[in-house]
Structure formats: C-alpha cells, structure tokens
Amino acid sequence: MARKIIRLLIFLAALALLLFSGYQIARYLLENRARDNVTKDMISRFVRPAPSAPVEETGPQEETQAPRVQAPISVDFAALQAEHPDIIAWLYGENTPIHNPVVQAQDNEYYLRRLLDGSWNTAGTLFLDYRNASDFSDGRSMIYGHSMKDGSMFGSLLEYREPAYYQAHPALYLLTPEGDYRVEFVAGYEVDDDSLLYTLPDSASEREALISYAAEHSAFDSGVEVTPEDRLLVLSTCAYDFEGARFVLLGVLRG
C-alpha cells in the first residue's frame, strides 16, 4: 500500500511538472507572438523606406555645415506619437533584428516588462533612461533592452562580442522627430549592473575615463575617435556571464 501511494505521489509530481513546463512554454510563445505583432503593426502603419536611402542629404546648407544624415527608413512620428505618446525615437539596424520603437517613461521600471499598450510581457520595450532628455541632447544617453534568446529586442547586441559581427554592422540608425542620426559604435564591453556607467549625468573627467575604459576593454577595435563635443549613446542589455553582468555598446551620434 505504501509503495502504491509513493508511486502515485511521484506520478502526480511528474504530471504537475509536465503541466507547469507546458504552461511556461505556451506563455513564452504567446508573449513572443504578442510582442512580434505589436512591432509588426507599428512597422506596417508608421514606417516606410526613405525616399532615397541611404544617402547624405546636402540640401540648401552652408558650405561649412556637415550634411544631414538620412536613415534608410522614415517614420511618421506625428501619427505614431498621436497613438503612443511615450515613443520618442526609433532604432534601426540594417540586416539586424533591431527595428523597434524607443519609449521613455517617468521611471526605468514601467516598460521593463510591458509592451506599448501597457500589457505585461517578458520582452518589455526598448526605453530611454528617464533621466535623459527625450531629444538625445545630453552628452550621454542610455537605452535599455532585454537580451531575448531569439535575438529580438537587444538580443543581437551580444553578437558584438565577436569582432567579425562589428565589422559587418559598425553602426545603426536612431530616428527622432527632430532628425536622423547614424550611431557609430566606439566600443562593446561587459560591465557590472552597478557600474558608474549607469550614473547620469557625468562630468568631463568621468566622460574621459568612460571612453578610455571602453576602448581598453572593447571586444572590437573600431578606430572611431570621440571628441568632447560628441554626444554619446549607450545601448545596454543583460549578458548572463555572471550575476549582474551587462553588455553595453558605446556609440557616437552623427547627424
């Protein structure tokens, strides 16, 4: 009798584990579908190929003024923000999975596990640090995103640990209502989640130390020079190599 009870308990425990695993898998797949549907819907309704992409616009400018950058895509921010006012930019990497809106909230928690409509989702939404100016006018701006196993969101950032991937994708585009920027990557490296990198704003000396540390520890050699006037963009995601590990890409805004 005792053996029968033990076998029954083992069976019930195994069944419960199986059901729970099935639930987790189903939930993961449903969340992925919901995330993909939201992104695809945004792209289909608000994103178009640029009229002549990609080129550097010259236009009626002063001869000494640098040409404006034009991304390979265009975004209808007026219509997009009318529907989703938290959206402040769009990130696009040619031939990469990065093709996503960027939001900003009153804290760095709201969109960590939420989609644009506020629904719960493990993937969350790419978001700009709440302490940054929404027009990326700060000396250093920080965008966060989850490193999803299927490569979505910021999952592809971990590919930059291989120099060959950097050589194939040395930059991406940041589109804003004010204009487009080409983000030239300076360095890619791992940090702790309590790194001073996440302290905003920073002084001139801290900025210099940041750039020096990034160049020294980068997984690739970019050769990109940074001046005191350059605006920096940091893309941050989880690295999973150790507790609190983060992989960051440091880039310069050109535009």
Side-chain angles (χ1 to χ4, degrees):
M1 184 68 178
R3 290 182 178 180
K4 290 184 178 180
I5 294 176
I6 292 174
R7 286 198 295 267
L8 178 61
L9 291 176
I10 293 175
F11 170 77
L12 292 176
L15 179 61
L17 180 61
L18 180 63
L19 292 175
F20 179 74
S21 298
Y23 165 76
Q24 291 290 84
I25 293 173
R27 178 182 175 182
Y28 174 78
L29 294 175
L30 288 174
E31 285 189 352
N32 282 358
R33 180 182 299 178
R35 176 203 67 209
D36 291 344
N37 287 343
V38 167
T39 303
K40 290 177 180 177
D41 178 63
M42 295 291 101
I43 293 173
S44 66
R45 293 195 291 130
F46 303 113
V47 180
R48 295 290 182 270
S52 53
V55 297
E56 300 275 325
E57 292 183 332
T58 53
Q61 302 177 18
E62 297 292 335
E63 292 184 359
T64 57
Q65 184 177 357
R68 285 290 306 181
V69 167
Q70 180 179 325
I73 62 171
S74 64
V75 177
D76 186 350
F77 279 104
L80 186 60
Q81 291 178 324
E83 187 169 311
H84 298 285
D86 284 348
I87 293 178
I88 47 90
W90 195 283
L91 270 179
Y92 175 69
E94 291 185 281
N95 302 315
T96 79
I98 297 178
H99 195 357
N100 303 86
V102 180
V103 297
Q104 187 179 40
Q106 295 182 350
D107 55 50
N108 287 343
E109 298 295 330
Y110 185 80
Y111 282 107
L112 191 63
R113 298 293 182 185
R114 285 187 175 91
L115 299 180
L116 289 171
D117 60 3
S119 61
W120 175 266
N121 194 286
T122 304
T125 304
L126 302 186
F127 62 93
L128 178 69
D129 195 295
Y130 77 98
R131 297 167 293 178
N132 279 134
S134 61
D135 62 356
F136 297 87
S137 58
D138 291 330
R140 175 160 53 95
S141 301
M142 182 93 63
I143 296 178
Y144 305 90
H146 288 297
S147 176
M148 304 303 293
K149 292 182 179 179
D150 62 0
S152 61
M153 306 309 288
F154 273 175
S156 62
L157 294 193
L158 299 183
E159 300 289 344
Y160 281 92
R161 292 184 289 194
E162 296 296 330
Y165 191 84
Y166 165 76
Q167 293 296 330
H169 311 285
L172 56 69
Y173 291 92
L174 176 72
L175 294 87
T176 74
E178 293 76 28
D180 300 347
Y181 299 94
R182 177 178 167 87
V183 184
E184 297 182 357
F185 293 131
V186 177
Y189 57 104
E190 286 191 358
V191 296
D192 292 304
D193 58 3
D194 60 354
S195 168
L196 291 177
L197 174 72
Y198 297 103
T199 302
L200 298 174
D202 54 348
S203 65
S205 60
E206 290 172 331
R207 174 188 171 96
E208 183 177 347
L210 162 65
I211 296 171
S212 177
Y213 182 91
E216 182 180 350
H217 292 82
S218 179
F220 54 81
D221 182 10
S222 69
V224 176
E225 296 185 0
V226 183
T227 70
E229 293 75 28
D230 284 331
R231 283 180 287 168
L232 305 178
L233 179 67
V234 179
L235 308 182
S236 174
T237 193
C238 292
Y240 307 113
D241 292 330
F242 53 86
E243 186 174 356
R246 300 290 184 269
F247 184 80
V248 296
L249 279 178
L250 175 65
V252 177
L253 294 181
R254 308 294 193 197

